[in-house]
Every structure is written in structure tokens, then in C-alpha cells.
Amino acid sequence: MPLTVVRREHVHLYAREPRSRAAKVAVDALLRLQHAEEQQLEQARTESGLTKNEFLTVRYMLQAHRDGRAMGPKDLAVMLNVSNASVTKIVDGLVAKGDIVRVPHPTDRRAQVLEPTVQAAEKIDSSYARFHEAVVGVMDHLSSEDNEVLARCLTQITDALAGGAPTPVDEYTVDPDGAAEPIDS
């Protein structure tokens, strides 16, 4: 297969051509951004030396730590959508690599809390630095009006993709019925 087809295949995902040239340019730009983000995330994961689930675990743990939320193995099983045995294997590997430590739960003597190490934070932060710097750098140079239009358009796309499902307070806190819950509950 010619490389030109392979390189451009990711920008031809729409089932219906956009109605205007400007809309096509915008859709193509959005698809190129999505592709660039996927490539950057895979590069970050590869540079970290972690498997996909290990990388996601460290990301989740780091964000929870920064948000002041305690995370345990059961939380990871839900977030990664894997079995408890798989989580144990992932956590054991990350502990051996020095990326996660197990600490006693502050209120439940039977439970453990997982904490990312400084090494893990540096690994993830350095992996994402280029992507975040590029995004923030461009957004910082847009006018307030352009940022408002961009935010509104991206929100409309996100809402359309969600198909009317309620947006959770955060992507990890959902009650059994699927409704969003505040983190404090």
C-alpha cells in the first residue's frame, strides 16, 4: 500500500462529506489533532517503558494523588476494567519498578492505598510535557473570543458524541445507575 494512503487514512473518517469547504477543513483539523494526540500518547507510553495498563495506572494514580483522592486496587480494577488478579499483577510490577508504593489506608486497617512515587510523577510529566506545552502554548496565543468559540464547538461535539448521557462530575465518579456523583459523596 502506498505510504500516502497510509499517512492520510486517518483523516477520512466521516461517513458524509461536510457541507462546506470550511467545515471540511475544520473536521480534517480535528481528526489530525486526534491522530497527533494518539501518536503522542503512544510515544509517551513507549518512552515511559510501561505497558498500556501500567501507564494508565500511573496516570490515574498520579491524578488521584494530585486531587487528594485515595486510590486502592479495587478502584483500579474499575478504572481499567480488568479483574482483581490483573490489578494485582499490574500493581506488583509497578511496585517492583519503583513507580507505586502500597501504604495502609488511613481509616481501614484491612485496606491498602496506592501512591505514585516521585519517579512515576517525573516519568509521566516528562512524557506529556511536549503535548501539553503545545496545546497550552497555542491556546494562550488565541484571543478570548477564539478560545470561547473553540471551547463551545468542542463542547458541542463532546455532547453530541455522548448522545445525551449526563456528563459526570469527573470521569471516574459514577453511581451504579450511571448518574454523576460529586467527589465528596
Side-chain angles (χ1 to χ4, degrees):
M1 182 180 308
L3 288 179
T4 54
V5 173
V6 174
R7 285 187 187 133
R8 296 199 35 85
E9 191 171 322
H10 64 274
V11 298
H12 297 287
L13 297 177
Y14 34 79
R16 178 184 62 78
E17 282 279 328
R19 284 184 259 196
S20 70
R21 172 93 174 112
K24 183 179 185 323
V25 169
V27 168
D28 287 348
L30 183 60
L31 293 174
R32 284 193 315 277
L33 171 63
Q34 179 185 22
H35 181 70
E37 180 183 20
E38 288 169 356
Q39 287 182 312
Q40 190 69 37
L41 288 175
E42 183 56 23
Q43 181 179 345
R45 190 203 59 76
T46 302
E47 288 172 4
S48 73
L50 301 173
T51 67
K52 182 179 179 181
N53 277 340
E54 288 174 335
F55 187 74
L56 290 173
T57 296
V58 174
R59 280 183 53 205
Y60 295 154
M61 297 303 307
L62 189 57
Q63 190 60 55
H65 179 77
R66 289 176 176 167
D67 291 345
R69 292 181 284 128
M71 292 275 297
K74 289 181 182 179
D75 300 311
L76 284 175
V78 171
M79 293 169 70
L80 295 171
N81 195 27
V82 298
S83 69
N84 290 336
S86 293
V87 167
T88 299
K89 183 178 177 181
I90 293 166
V91 170
D92 287 347
L94 290 170
V95 167
K97 292 177 183 180
D99 290 325
I100 297 282
V101 293
R102 292 179 173 103
V103 297
H105 191 282
T107 59
D108 184 351
R109 292 182 309 162
R110 300 165 296 157
Q112 291 181 338
V113 174
L114 304 171
E115 291 285 336
T117 63
V118 171
Q119 168 187 300
E122 289 171 354
K123 193 180 288 188
I124 295 299
D125 289 345
S126 68
S127 296
Y128 278 100
R130 182 173 165 221
F131 179 78
H132 286 266
E133 287 170 9
V135 171
V136 171
V138 169
M139 298 303 175
D140 277 348
H141 286 92
L142 292 176
S143 68
S144 293
E145 295 79 16
D146 285 347
N147 270 314
E148 288 172 11
V149 169
L150 182 59
R152 187 173 58 249
C153 290
L154 293 174
T155 299
Q156 289 172 351
I157 291 168
T158 302
D159 291 348
L161 290 172
T167 303
V169 174
D170 68 48
E171 65 182 292
Y172 309 118
T173 308
V174 182
D175 76 22
D177 297 324
E181 286 183 12
I183 294 172
D184 300 321
S185 45

